[in-house]
Amino acid sequence: MKSNEYASMLVEDGVYHISDYRGDSFYLIFGDNKAILFDTGMGNGDLKGYIKNLTDKEVEVIISHAHWDHIMQANQFEKVYMNHKDIEIIKLFNMNIDYTNFLDIRDGEIIDLGKRKLEIIEVPGHTPGSTVLLDKDNKLLFSGDAIGAGHTWMQLPGCLPLTQYLESLYRLSKRSNEFEKIYHGHLAGTDFKPFPREYLFDLIKAVEKVISGELVGEPYPYGNFGGLYVTYGMATLVYNPQNVK
């Protein structure tokens, strides 16, 4: 389904991929009783109205992390969850987001949609409160930018040191037998193909090798935040050499 501002595609049973005018990715995940909208994109229109064309179920929002391209239309919705550690990111970038009614969400919480359950897993690194959703029964992980979208940005203001990020990745990898596909925050750039779980292992190797000094990056040519980048397998890690340990 397309509008002037949004487009959507059914990518799994009960899962719509939605993109905005910039190609940012967010997901509408259905259960029998209600739906979760995971992220709200940068946005340029009536996202709430667009979602109503996709479902008449109650819709609650979970924000993966508080960067512009994942949160900017959140205030159109009544019930929004976000890990409150990311309030500091909203403040850091002086974003025009009213977070006063955002509900906190923490590791291990289970969201029951009715014959579909989503588990909250915190993966701090890209931001302090980065959160992913695990749909264990369907072997799906919805990751936002917590483990990147091919290029994992760890050079931004507010990113944690790579040593702390590595601990988050190790912890997530212990759950890797519970998912087979990774639906990340910029799927349009990969021809709408999710990553296999092996991508996570490549990213871990990249972070390990930067920390150990085995890999040393070259200047990153994209974006406005500089940094160095290295590549290992499917993963490209962008990092700030002053924020490794």
Side-chain angles (χ1 to χ4, degrees), residues 50 55 58 62 95 122-123 144 149 161 170 176 181 215-216 234-235:
Y50 184 83
T55 182
E58 175 191 359
I62 297 177
M95 285 185 274
E122 293 182 42
V123 187
Y170 283 155
S176 61
K181 299 177 184 178
L215 284 178
V216 178
M234 291 177 278

Side-chain angles (χ1 to χ4, degrees), residues 1-150:
M1 178 179 174
K2 293 184 178 180
S3 71
N4 290 333
E5 297 88 13
Y6 302 103
S8 57
M9 175 189 302
L10 191 67
V11 292
E12 300 280 348
D13 185 26
V15 179
Y16 275 101
H17 169 271
I18 304 170
S19 57
D20 61 18
Y21 72 101
R22 296 176 69 253
D24 305 308
S25 295
F26 30 112
Y27 300 90
L28 187 64
I29 308 165
F30 293 93
D32 280 358
N33 300 329
K34 64 180 180 180
I36 287 293
L37 179 62
F38 189 51
D39 285 346
T40 56
M42 181 70 80
N44 194 32
D46 181 8
L47 178 58
K48 184 178 179 181
Y50 184 83
I51 295 299
K52 285 182 177 179
N53 290 322
L54 296 177
T55 182
D56 57 2
K57 296 181 186 297
E58 175 191 359
V59 175
E60 298 176 358
V61 170
I62 297 177
I63 298 297
S64 67
H65 67 293
H67 284 154
W68 306 271
D69 50 343
H70 297 265
I71 195 175
M72 287 306 291
Q73 301 299 315
N75 288 143
Q76 293 185 14
F77 297 87
E78 287 76 31
K79 195 166 188 178
V80 179
Y81 296 90
M82 184 189 78
N83 188 296
H84 278 190
K85 295 173 187 174
D86 263 18
I87 289 174
E88 67 181 77
I89 298 298
I90 295 175
K91 294 177 178 178
L92 176 65
F93 289 104
N94 195 28
M95 285 185 274
N96 184 24
I97 297 290
D98 181 4
Y99 56 82
T100 53
N101 291 321
F102 283 11
L103 301 167
D104 198 10
I105 199 162
R106 291 300 176 98
D107 193 78
E109 293 183 34
I110 303 294
I111 308 296
D112 190 346
L113 305 181
K115 294 186 179 179
R116 187 175 214 137
K117 294 182 179 179
L118 303 174
E119 181 179 347
I120 303 298
I121 301 177
E122 293 182 42
V123 187
H126 182 64
T127 65
S130 286
T131 296
V132 306
L133 301 181
L134 175 63
D135 181 349
K136 182 168 61 175
D137 291 339
N138 294 292
K139 296 284 189 175
L140 305 176
L141 187 76
F142 301 92
S143 64
D145 288 352
I147 54 176

Side-chain angles (χ1 to χ4, degrees), residues 183-234:
Y183 281 100
H184 54 78
H186 297 277
L187 195 71
T190 59
D191 296 323
F192 300 99
K193 295 179 181 178
F195 290 148
R197 64 180 160 204
E198 288 76 16
Y199 167 81
L200 173 61
F201 306 138
D202 285 350
L203 179 58
I204 288 172
K205 284 294 186 183
V207 177
E208 287 176 337
K209 289 178 181 296
V210 168
I211 292 172
S212 70
E214 187 175 344
L215 284 178
V216 178
E218 299 178 4
Y220 188 61
Y222 307 112
N224 301 317
F225 295 96
L228 304 179
Y229 79 97
V230 299
T231 297
Y232 186 93
M234 291 177 278

Side-chain angles (χ1 to χ4, degrees), residues 65 67 85-86 89 122-131 145-147 152-169 243:
H65 67 293
H67 284 154
K85 295 173 187 174
D86 263 18
I89 298 298
E122 293 182 42
V123 187
H126 182 64
T127 65
S130 286
T131 296
D145 288 352
I147 54 176
T152 300
W153 281 22
M154 289 296 296
Q155 85 281 28
L156 303 176
C159 288
L160 300 184
L162 287 186
T163 50
Q164 293 184 36
Y165 182 44
L166 184 58
E167 292 302 315
S168 297
L169 297 180
N243 196 29

